[in-house]
Amino acid sequence: MKKECVGMLLAGGEGKRLGKLTGNLAKPAVHFGGKYRIIDFTLSNCTNSGIYTVGVLTQYAPLELNQHIGIGKPWDLDRQKDGVSILSPYTAKQGGSWYSGTADAIFQNIHFIEQYSPEYVLIISGDHIYHMNYKHLIKQHKLTGADATISVMEVPWDEASRFGILNTTEDLRIYEFEEKPSNPKSNLASMGIYVFTWAALKAYLLHDAEQIHSSHDFGKDIIPSMLQDGKRMYGYRFEGYWKDVGTIQSYWEANMDLLDEDSSFSLNNKNWRTYTYDSNNPPQFIDRTATLKSSLINSGCWVKGTIDHSILFENVIVNEGSTVYQSILHPGVEVGENSVLERVIVTKNTIIPPNTYLRSNQDEEPLVVDAESLKEILSIQI
Amino acid sequence: MNSMMGLINLEYEHDFLNELTYFRCGAAVPFGGRYRLIDFTLSNMVKSNIHEIAIFTRNKYRSLMDHLGTGADWDLDRRHGGLFILPPDWNDPTDISRGDLRYFHNNRDYFHRGHSTHVLVSGSQFVSNCDYQAAFQHHLDNEADITFIATQVEPDSFNKEHDACLRLETDDQNWVTAITNEKCNPLIFTGVYIINKELLMDTVDQCIAHHKDHFFYHGIKENLANLKIQVFEHKGYSAFVNSIESFYRHNMGLLCEQNYKSLFLKQPFIRTKVSSEPPTKYRDQAGVHGSLIANGCVVDGDVENSVLFRGVQVKEGAKIKNSVIMQRCTIEPGVYLENVILDKDVHVTKGQTFIGSKDKPFVVAKRQVM
């Protein structure tokens, strides 16, 4: 069955810098935005862009991620002939191996892509928060007749040295790619979103697989060698909200961005809905003693305390006299009476006893609290 | 193996909620922030291992069908069994059945094809979180023909809603001796009962042969002397929603901690059609106290002692008190609402004030601009 474009979603990463948040689940499965998981934004972009053939490449701690995606029903990806396919590392007659890099993950699934004989392959990743219509990206790719199109966005000049920077001509044709340059010549950063003409990419994947010294990575190997060979590569200029939630600080910031009234990025955008699994919880109960301000609260919550600039996932209980400020409480968290949480992230089902005081300073990374670290903190406090 | 199949019979549930049933049948009326009345009995059936459920529905069933869909949200999208929505469309020229017996007669296949030995029959007006499986066990243990699920109401909590309910008299072994309308009897029949399938089909035949037109009244109530009917008492949250007054009172009643807990926090939860609404957003000016709020709302005003359904927008400076605001209503700045029921998609424009009374809330039908 022929498909014009197949989406390949990289979701195998561990996200080491997210520390305790990825203790037993892959980064794309980390809870985000009061109801979602990080991968929901990319999957919803696929649905909203009409990309209905999606391979999800998983590797690190995939159980929760696999369960979350299931057969793709929340994203309308439960389809007869295509839809979502989970692609984990496998063994076959000729042996098998773990995915050793982003390019290797695609290389090992060439047979999956070829089932659909696509013209184009869209490479996206499950750890970014953004709304993007991939159709526009693909349209530009076709118009320019490119071999590869890389989605880029302008970043502040002083931050440019933290990104992969693309140097382009005026019509956005790329002539140079620099990974984290100390003296950036441009402020167009790669967003890790690529469209390739499949025939061109396939040749490079096959070639790259034979190089023993390659790290089999799109940014480090495939893109540079395509550039070196003078392939037609263009940038696609994206304007709008995009955030890589690679660190605890950026994870916290991206969550807080959802509370920003002026942000162009909204979960309430009816034209670009974000879909996720809905666990059918009762409506939230806001008690008489509650005070709520600038917060996102999901169903099943029971609030008796004060919530300000915070995000509460499903079934969170905040008892009387407690204050939650600039914090993120994952599903099933219970905060005992007269506790104060400030700028902390509490992981799933953690129970904070009454009269607990947890905070992190504005200038440091937010504190991540799970059941284990809570024990330690409490023993020190006493 | 003994097992139950379900039947939700809406034939005799007339348009009991005035404005709220202008455009939909009673079973499809929104309740409790994100549910519809039918969700309660449907969820109770599913969690009691009933996986084949038929719905006899006469009219205004568009929104009901839209709500139920394939039944997937209740795990009723099954290869075998599942959900059967059975509106009236019958063309049997030899059919002499009348009343709700026409549904039984024309849908015999549903009963014959099902493998279950028993049928649990229910309406949609009884709201509870009830374990029908326990009632079924009671039914089997007592080798009854029929088991009625009843609820005991304290005499001081009798309400108008109970006037419409039948009362049960029993002997000391819990066998039903009379079905009455005696208002002082606290043992109230919930309208939910379990009946042996064969007996049900025989009773249907009998009723049709004698030109009867009401399965329950003529087949069961009038035949009481020949039937062994047990009573199973449901304890816990019980509400009968059969008028605007009781609809309003029971929505407000969910703001009581104990009611909320016993209806909603008993696993497995009551299920409804899921939506892709984001978590509710409280803005800078939000002041919310003692309220039940569903997902997808954006609140920037004051909400007190009220129920907000999914996707309601409360703009800055608006005040809502003791009200039930259904899905996707928009309340513009400066609005004051007290004792009001707004049906879906109502838009209240800037600065308006609407106040109803506690006993007679002000009701606004669907999609109005005020």
Side-chain angles (χ1 to χ4, degrees):
Chain A
M1 186 190 30
K2 191 168 170 58
K3 290 276 161 194
E4 190 189 34
C5 181
V6 170
M8 296 297 274
L9 203 171
L10 299 160
E14 175 183 346
K16 275 203 188 79
R17 288 172 302 160
L18 283 174
K20 286 185 211 104
L21 295 179
T22 53
N24 48 16
L25 75 176
K27 181 173 165 187
V30 170
H31 296 281
F32 186 89
K35 180 174 178 177
Y36 307 93
R37 295 185 188 249
I38 295 171
I39 197 174
D40 291 340
F41 294 86
T42 313
L43 282 173
S44 301
N45 284 342
C46 286
T47 308
N48 289 327
S49 306
I51 307 271
Y52 289 119
T53 315
V54 184
V56 179
L57 299 133
T58 64
Q59 176 155 289
Y60 174 79
L63 176 65
E64 269 196 51
L65 182 61
N66 289 351
Q67 281 179 339
H68 177 69
I69 296 171
I71 55 168
K73 196 167 171 54
W75 306 272
D76 276 350
L77 290 173
D78 55 328
R79 296 165 68 92
Q80 301 259 319
K81 295 276 166 74
D82 47 348
V84 69
S85 303
I86 305 250
L87 305 170
S88 55
Y90 58 90
T91 57
K93 278 274 186 284
Q94 71 278 16
S97 65
W98 296 104
Y99 298 149
S100 58
T102 50
D104 182 50
I106 307 297
F107 167 76
Q108 291 203 40
N109 288 290
I110 284 179
H111 62 294
F112 166 77
I113 297 172
E114 300 253 276
Q115 292 177 93
Y116 302 104
S117 334
E119 297 296 320
Y120 312 107
V121 170
L122 173 72
I123 309 283
I124 43 188
S125 102
D127 37 17
H128 301 150
I129 307 296
Y130 64 114
H131 288 164
M132 179 173 178
N133 194 336
Y134 301 134
K135 253 190 221 154
H136 298 161
L137 170 64
I138 295 163
K139 192 174 161 202
Q140 186 199 303
H141 181 82
K142 284 195 241 177
L143 275 175
T144 54
D147 294 306
T149 303
I150 302 176
S151 183
V152 294
M153 64 185 295
E154 281 187 36
V155 294
W157 278 97
D158 55 333
E159 286 179 29
S161 56
R162 288 174 36 219
F163 292 89
I165 295 295
L166 296 169
N167 300 323
T168 67
T169 59
E170 238 168 58
D171 64 349
L172 285 174
R173 173 132 189 202
I174 302 165
Y175 63 86
E176 192 180 21
F177 176 77
E178 293 180 294
E179 185 69 32
K180 299 185 179 140
S182 41
N183 293 311
K185 285 175 235 154
S186 130
N187 67 338
L188 289 179
S190 163
M191 299 159 64
I193 300 162
Y194 318 104
V195 179
F196 291 97
T197 298
W198 174 234
L201 175 63
K202 190 182 166 190
Y204 278 86
L205 288 175
L206 292 171
H207 179 258
D208 177 72
E210 285 168 8
Q211 313 302 312
I212 356 166
H213 297 297
S214 168
S215 52
H216 308 298
D217 185 87
F218 275 97
K220 291 192 193 108
D221 306 294
I222 302 288
I223 307 276
S225 59
M226 285 180 88
L227 264 178
Q228 208 172 14
D229 295 352
K231 289 283 171 190
R232 281 178 79 82
M233 301 175 78
Y234 282 85
Y236 166 81
R237 205 182 264 275
F238 173 77
E239 276 160 14
Y241 183 89
W242 177 88
K243 194 122 185 165
D244 178 14
V245 283
T247 63
I248 288 173
Q249 178 68 28
S250 67
Y251 170 82
W252 180 83
E253 277 170 15
N255 272 286
M256 291 299 131
D257 285 345
L258 295 173
L259 304 176
D260 183 2
E261 308 282 333
D262 307 320
S263 173
S264 61
F265 185 80
S266 169
L267 298 171
N268 292 76
N269 186 348
K270 294 270 186 286
N271 299 320
W272 206 267
R273 284 180 190 267
T274 309
Y275 301 99
T276 188
Y277 174 77
D278 188 311
S279 32
N280 226 331
N281 287 308
Q284 52 196 267
F285 193 99
I286 309 299
D287 226 306
R288 286 175 200 290
T289 51
T291 310
L292 307 172
K293 217 181 141 184
S294 303
S295 293
L296 270 182
I297 301 186
N298 196 6
S299 56
C301 286
W302 193 306
V303 182
K304 295 184 175 188
T306 301
I307 314 289
D308 188 2
H309 279 89
S310 294
I311 294 181
L312 270 54
F313 284 76
E314 62 189 38
N315 303 326
V316 167
I317 301 174
V318 177
N319 281 305
E320 223 171 316
S322 286
T323 301
V324 179
Y325 180 62
Q326 291 194 341
S327 296
I328 300 163
L329 310 187
H330 284 180
V333 167
E334 184 173 348
V335 181
E337 287 169 16
N338 304 314
S339 290
V340 177
L341 306 185
E342 186 178 334
R343 228 173 108 86
V344 295
I345 300 163
V346 186
T347 64
K348 208 171 170 178
N349 297 333
T350 304
I351 295 181
I352 312 270
N355 308 307
T356 308
Y357 183 74
L358 298 170
R359 83 182 280 267
S360 50
N361 290 324
Q362 295 295 331
D363 53 354
E364 49 184 42
E365 196 170 69
L367 183 67
V368 180
V369 180
D370 60 10
E372 237 169 81
S373 68
L374 182 66
K375 255 190 235 161
E376 276 171 44
I377 296 168
L378 292 178
S379 66
I380 295 167
Q381 281 187 355
I382 290 161
Chain B
M1 247 288 274
N2 290 312
S3 62
M4 293 186 286
M5 56 204 293
L7 167 62
I8 300 175
N9 186 355
L10 306 176
E11 165 69 5
Y12 292 112
E13 291 187 2
H14 296 298
D15 301 342
F16 53 93
L17 294 174
N18 310 351
E19 288 90 343
L20 305 182
T21 42
Y22 280 176
F23 307 107
R24 56 169 90 85
C25 57
V29 167
F31 184 82
R34 61 191 288 272
Y35 305 91
R36 296 190 186 242
L37 286 178
I38 198 168
D39 291 343
F40 296 91
T41 193
L42 203 57
S43 301
N44 288 339
M45 286 184 181
V46 171
K47 72 179 187 186
S48 308
N49 287 326
I50 298 177
H51 303 300
E52 282 173 277
I53 299 171
I55 299 173
F56 291 171
T57 171
R58 187 171 54 172
N59 49 22
K60 298 189 195 173
Y61 46 77
R62 184 208 57 82
S63 75
L64 186 70
M65 291 177 77
D66 176 45
H67 177 68
L68 298 171
T70 59
D73 289 323
W74 296 264
D75 277 340
L76 287 172
D77 54 334
R78 299 286 174 128
R79 201 163 287 282
H80 300 288
L83 191 64
F84 300 84
I85 302 174
L86 305 171
D89 176 29
W90 308 309
N91 304 297
D92 174 5
T94 65
D95 184 6
I96 55 158
S97 58
R98 298 160 56 191
D100 66 346
L101 291 155
R102 302 182 69 200
Y103 289 87
F104 288 96
H105 173 73
N106 287 285
N107 293 303
R108 281 171 194 273
D109 283 357
Y110 168 68
F111 299 99
H112 288 316
R113 283 184 192 152
H115 296 297
S116 299
T117 50
H118 294 74
V119 183
L120 184 135
V121 187
S122 165
S124 75
Q125 298 176 347
F126 177 59
V127 176
S128 71
N129 190 331
C130 177
D131 185 3
Y132 295 152
Q133 200 59 44
F136 187 41
Q137 198 53 52
H138 181 89
H139 178 85
L140 297 174
D141 291 347
N142 287 283
E143 295 177 358
D145 296 326
I146 298 173
T147 296
F148 287 166
I149 297 180
T151 175
Q152 197 71 251
V153 176
E154 297 297 323
D156 57 346
S157 26
F158 274 137
N159 257 309
K160 243 193 267 159
E161 74 199 56
H162 299 119
D163 292 355
C165 301
L166 293 170
R167 315 298 165 113
L168 303 175
E169 283 172 25
T170 60
D171 63 13
D172 52 0
Q173 305 282 310
N174 260 333
W175 294 105
V176 175
T177 53
I179 303 170
T180 69
N181 279 86
E182 251 179 291
K183 292 206 166 53
C184 53
N185 182 349
L187 189 62
I188 293 183
F189 178 41
T190 62
V192 184
Y193 57 96
I194 296 165
I195 180 169
N196 296 15
K197 189 167 80 180
E198 264 175 48
L199 173 64
L200 179 133
M201 296 318 289
D202 288 348
T203 309
V204 167
D205 289 337
Q206 282 293 320
C207 285
I208 293 172
H210 292 90
H211 306 289
K212 306 285 190 184
D213 59 15
H214 197 299
F215 176 78
F216 184 82
Y217 279 103
H218 301 133
I220 296 177
K221 193 166 172 270
E222 281 185 2
N223 207 12
L224 198 57
N226 306 316
L227 295 167
K228 285 169 64 187
I229 304 180
Q230 265 289 317
V231 168
F232 175 84
E233 204 185 305
H234 162 68
K235 296 196 167 77
Y237 185 91
S238 301
F240 295 90
V241 176
N242 48 21
S243 65
I244 285 282
E245 186 272 330
S246 56
F247 170 85
Y248 176 66
R249 185 159 38 78
H250 286 305
N251 270 293
M252 290 294 122
L254 292 173
L255 302 173
C256 154
E257 188 168 330
Q258 197 197 341
N259 287 340
Y260 177 88
K261 277 186 177 159
S262 69
L263 185 60
F264 290 136
L265 296 189
K266 247 166 69 184
Q267 289 277 11
F269 290 161
I270 302 292
R271 303 190 218 186
T272 188
K273 178 183 175 183
V274 300
S275 68
S276 40
E277 295 289 352
T280 280
K281 188 167 195 177
Y282 297 93
R283 294 191 171 207
D284 252 8
Q285 305 299 317
V288 184
H289 303 285
S291 293
L292 206 57
I293 299 189
N295 270 351
C297 296
V298 179
V299 182
D300 205 10
D302 287 340
V303 181
E304 193 191 331
N305 204 37
S306 296
V307 178
L308 265 52
F309 283 70
R310 291 185 275 210
V312 170
Q313 307 233 11
V314 183
K315 301 279 170 72
E316 200 181 324
K319 279 190 173 33
I320 300 174
K321 203 177 159 187
N322 304 335
S323 295
V324 179
I325 314 292
M326 293 191 199
Q327 226 174 323
R328 289 191 304 270
C329 285
T330 305
I331 318 296
E332 294 286 356
V335 168
Y336 183 83
L337 302 177
E338 186 176 341
N339 303 329
V340 166
I341 298 173
L342 301 187
D343 202 339
K344 285 168 75 169
D345 296 306
V346 170
H347 188 133
V348 187
T349 55
K350 239 177 169 171
Q352 303 275 357
T353 297
F354 294 97
I355 303 177
S357 78
K358 269 232 143 70
D359 322 318
K360 234 177 174 301
F362 182 68
V363 186
V364 182
K366 224 171 144 173
R367 265 194 295 280
Q368 309 248 11
V369 177
M370 324 244 318

